[in-house]
Amino acid sequence: MKKFINAPADVLAESLRGVQAAHPELRVDTANRVVLRGEPTREGKVALVSGGGSGHEPMHGGFVGTGMLDAACAGEVFTSPTPDQILAATRAADSGAGVLHIVKNYTGDVLNFEMAAELASGEGIRVESVVVADDVAVQDSTWTAGRRGVGTTVVLEKIVGAAAEEGADLDAVLALAQRVRGNGRSMGVALTSCTVPAAGKPTFDLPDDQMEVGVGIHGEPGRERRTLASAHEIARMMVEPILADADATGSAIVLLSGLGATPLIELYLLFGEIAPLLAEAGVDVRRSLVGDYITSLDMAGASLTVVRADDEMIRLWDAPVVTPGLRWGA
Amino acid sequence: MKKFINAPADVLAESLRGVQAAHPELRVDTANRVVLRGEPTREGKVALVSGGGSGHEPMHGGFVGTGMLDAACAGEVFTSPTPDQILAATRAADSGAGVLHIVKNYTGDVLNFEMAAELASGEGIRVESVVVADDVAVQDSTWTAGRRGVGTTVVLEKIVGAAAEEGADLDAVLALAQRVRGNGRSMGVALTSCTVPAAGKPTFDLPDDQMEVGVGIHGEPGRERRTLASAHEIARMMVEPILADADATGSAIVLLSGLGATPLIELYLLFGEIAPLLAEAGVDVRRSLVGDYITSLDMAGASLTVVRADDEMIRLWDAPVVTPGLRWGA
């Protein structure tokens, strides 16, 4: 295992120390492993809280800031945050206008966010939740009943974060989150496994001439293992299942995320193959992001997310955002 | 070789096609392999032109846009752009106020930018050049007489780009570029080799328990090969040679760049080790960037750049920038 780490057990705590050093505008609650904005949530503003296992950076801590999340709970690598962590984040973020929990559909995440929401409700904090389950690759998976939650989460956090910043109330924020959730589909491909620091060896074996089509962001099996193909063919393997799953014609926001060890030159090349396929199918890519946004430690691979987006969603997408992972307009 | 590519010979052209698809606000001259801003250079504004071999993305094409470069020439992977390309970029970028060439110190780059500058001068375009040579690891290297040019290039392009945007003339832009150049020092460490698509195999062999300290961004040998160490020890191996080389006390801008296959969780952890070492040595890290900014294809590793920066440089660093790779304030 070749990594910039010290003891595997300290990876999360030490990485958060680096986040705090690099981003003095954020506040890292090291005891609870929660990343917060530097300033408390403005009175009357709905707070957005997300989180999940670590190893997917910049998601979620890198999306805390003006126009996006108010707090993110970091679980250990590929491990759900605890209800205590989520409760601490929810308490810290709430300004009285309520909190939206943005949860990816993994069994532990869903259970722990539910438990935290109940505890917070018991304290008088109004909490609503949206569970993202956008990965079309498989119906159920290693840690999932139903589809896994992946890249649509990033797009949702941006769009809904902008609405909350503008003063939308909790009902409106929830309704918007559900619309974005319903409009997003994703599909990933791995060329290599990732290596969890505590395990010290690759999560799965993938021969030199094979790739995993439909891989999960923890290395969960996908649809099939295939012989390594050209970028041109891989683009089809990513686009077609998304288009087959739902009507994606019309205006869309598209995210092509590297999984952690894929260089940008390859991601752009792959996007150059994906863009014409989407155009042919009637998808109007109004906004796109190409880079590392939702990763899987040091996995070589990529995941494609297509979110149908009306003019209002595009407007909210374009609204100012100031976070370590996404920043524009301010 | 596991990469998102088609034929190795087409990597650059096809990647540029993806850049154009992802960034409609830029203009990619596919014939000359030059990335340009969508709008011509404003009359009276000095143009900044950089470039070099591909494989270091987002540098340089990802730094084209308001507040940074006007044009970037992309050579083949790890291969200098030709004088013709550089001349085409220089012509296209010049608005009559002259052009600054920002060159990294590699023999082919230096020669080809010099030749292009002469040709441009013959056409009546005033061209000045700055050659970045900031890598403290080794004095000469595989393709270099003198030090290699690495991360200071990114910081220079940002600061000098802001000055040009504000209307500084060519003499002022050149003088500022020389100051930034003189103030920057870098040091890199590789945990793995990279693989050049046309070669199809790793550039160098690095056993599972070894790392290359002082590696170049093309996999050139560094100072020494050592047994894989902890992030705590690696931070010292990066910081100490920089501090030993020049007085770095006082205000600084610090860049910790991944080399292409290093996940953000590790970069932050490493930055968490670097920041206290710099503070102890009297370096006041006023601004920092942690992420992939100057890469080496799919190499796992990182490079640290420390640039002493006075208040004027910090102000220019903070000025608005709108590029694919760096974006803030607008």
Side-chain angles (χ1 to χ4, degrees), chain A residues 43-61:
Chain A
E43 206 175 324
K45 184 189 138 358
V46 170
L48 267 56
V49 174
S50 191
S54 294
H56 308 301
E57 293 69 22
M59 188 184 79
H60 296 276

Side-chain angles (χ1 to χ4, degrees), chain A residues 2 6 23 191 210 268, chain B residues 2 6 23 191 210 268 273:
Chain A
K2 290 187 137 178
N6 299 302
H23 302 290
L191 303 185
Q210 301 279 304
Y268 275 122
Chain B
K2 290 188 135 178
N6 298 303
H23 303 289
L191 303 185
Q210 301 277 304
Y268 275 123
E273 297 287 353

Side-chain angles (χ1 to χ4, degrees), chain A residues 1-6 10-12 14-19 21-24 54-55 57-58 62 77 189-192 206-211 228-234 238 260-273 275-276 288 290 292-293 295 297-298 300-302 324 327-330, chain B residues 1-6 10-12 14-19 21-24 54-55 57-58 62 77 189-192 206-211 228-234 238 260-273 275-276 288 290 292-293 295 297-298 300-302 324 327-330:
Chain A
M1 175 173 58
K2 290 187 137 178
K3 290 181 186 289
F4 291 120
I5 61 170
N6 299 302
D10 299 330
V11 165
L12 174 57
E14 292 179 349
S15 181
L16 287 174
R17 189 172 68 138
V19 169
H23 302 290
S54 294
E57 293 69 22
V77 171
V189 171
L191 303 185
T192 71
L206 194 56
D208 279 351
D209 64 338
Q210 301 279 304
M211 60 186 186
L228 191 62
S230 67
H232 185 70
E233 293 168 290
I234 292 171
M238 299 175 88
T262 297
L264 206 45
I265 191 170
E266 293 180 40
L267 286 179
Y268 275 122
L269 192 152
L270 185 59
F271 190 76
E273 297 286 354
S288 63
V290 177
D292 281 1
Y293 296 97
T295 62
L297 292 171
D298 52 355
R327 185 167 172 177
W328 59 67
Chain B
M1 176 172 58
K2 290 188 135 178
K3 290 180 186 290
F4 291 120
I5 61 171
N6 298 303
D10 299 331
V11 166
L12 173 57
E14 292 179 351
S15 180
L16 286 175
R17 189 172 70 139
V19 169
H23 303 289
S54 293
E57 292 70 22
V77 171
V189 171
L191 303 185
T192 72
L206 194 56
D208 279 351
D209 63 338
Q210 301 277 304
M211 60 186 185
L228 191 63
S230 67
H232 185 70
E233 293 168 288
I234 292 171
M238 299 176 89
T262 297
L264 206 45
I265 191 170
E266 293 180 40
L267 286 179
Y268 275 123
L269 191 152
L270 185 59
F271 190 76
E273 297 287 353
S288 63
V290 177
D292 281 1
Y293 297 97
T295 61
L297 293 170
D298 53 355
R327 186 168 171 175
W328 58 67

Side-chain angles (χ1 to χ4, degrees), chain B residues 171-190:
Chain B
D171 290 340
V173 160
L174 176 63
L176 177 64
Q178 286 168 336
R179 275 169 59 215
V180 178
R181 173 200 188 282
N183 284 7
R185 299 290 186 281
S186 295
M187 179 79 184
V189 171

Side-chain angles (χ1 to χ4, degrees), chain B:
Chain B
M1 176 172 58
K2 290 188 135 178
K3 290 180 186 290
F4 291 120
I5 61 171
N6 298 303
D10 299 331
V11 166
L12 173 57
E14 292 179 351
S15 180
L16 286 175
R17 189 172 70 139
V19 169
Q20 183 67 87
H23 303 289
E25 74 281 9
L26 299 177
R27 187 163 62 85
V28 179
D29 172 351
T30 48
N32 288 304
R33 296 173 181 186
V34 175
V35 178
L36 298 147
R37 300 194 195 184
E39 301 294 318
T41 307
R42 193 177 73 233
E43 206 175 323
K45 185 188 128 21
V46 171
L48 266 57
V49 174
S50 191
S54 293
H56 308 301
E57 292 70 22
M59 189 184 78
H60 296 275
F63 299 136
V64 173
T66 305
M68 218 162 161
L69 298 179
D70 293 272
C73 317
E76 291 293 331
V77 171
F78 292 179
T79 303
S80 300
T82 63
D84 278 2
Q85 283 182 276
I86 303 166
L87 179 62
T90 303
R91 275 187 198 133
D94 182 47
S95 74
V99 178
L100 180 72
H101 283 175
I102 301 169
V103 187
K104 300 191 303 304
N105 188 36
Y106 299 97
T107 306
D109 288 23
V110 171
L111 284 173
N112 291 357
F113 269 96
E114 272 177 9
M115 197 173 302
E118 278 176 32
L119 293 167
S121 296
E123 298 181 6
I125 302 172
R126 192 174 157 212
V127 179
E128 297 287 354
S129 299
V130 62
V131 179
V132 179
D134 61 323
D135 186 338
V136 302
V138 291
Q139 180 50 33
D140 299 315
S141 185
T142 316
W143 297 292
T144 320
R147 288 179 169 179
R148 300 175 298 224
V150 288
T152 298
T153 317
V154 178
V155 178
L156 189 155
E157 289 176 359
K158 171 65 188 83
I159 290 175
V160 177
E165 208 74 46
E166 290 181 355
D169 67 18
L170 186 55
D171 290 340
V173 160
L174 176 63
L176 177 64
Q178 286 168 336
R179 275 169 59 215
V180 178
R181 173 200 188 282
N183 284 7
R185 299 290 186 281
S186 295
M187 179 79 184
V189 171
L191 303 185
T192 72
S193 176
C194 53
T195 296
V196 175
K201 59 183 179 52
T203 302
F204 58 95
D205 287 319
L206 194 56
D208 279 351
D209 63 338
Q210 301 277 304
M211 60 186 185
E212 182 77 31
V213 180
V215 71
I217 55 170
H218 312 94
E220 308 97 303
R223 289 191 172 186
E224 55 178 341
R225 196 161 279 191
R226 293 183 61 158
T227 302
L228 191 63
S230 67
H232 185 70
E233 293 168 288
I234 292 171
R236 287 200 177 278
M237 293 175 208
M238 299 176 89
V239 169
E240 283 173 359
I242 287 175
L243 298 181
D245 193 77
D247 177 16
T249 55
S251 165
I253 296 168
V254 172
L255 167 65
L256 181 65
S257 180
L259 294 181
T262 297
L264 206 45
I265 191 170
E266 293 180 40
L267 286 179
Y268 275 123
L269 191 152
L270 185 59
F271 190 76
E273 297 287 353
I274 288 168
L277 295 178
L278 291 174
E280 280 165 30
V283 180
D284 176 17
V285 181
R286 303 243 331 252
R287 299 293 183 272
S288 63
L289 280 180
V290 177
D292 281 1
Y293 297 97
I294 168 169
T295 61
S296 182
L297 293 170
D298 53 355
M299 188 182 284
S303 79
L304 174 66
T305 298
V306 180
V307 182
R308 291 183 72 178
D310 56 27
D311 287 349
E312 175 66 0
M313 292 182 195
I314 298 286
R315 187 188 69 76
L316 292 165
W317 177 262
D318 289 343
V321 61
V322 183
T323 72
L326 279 188
R327 186 168 171 175
W328 58 67

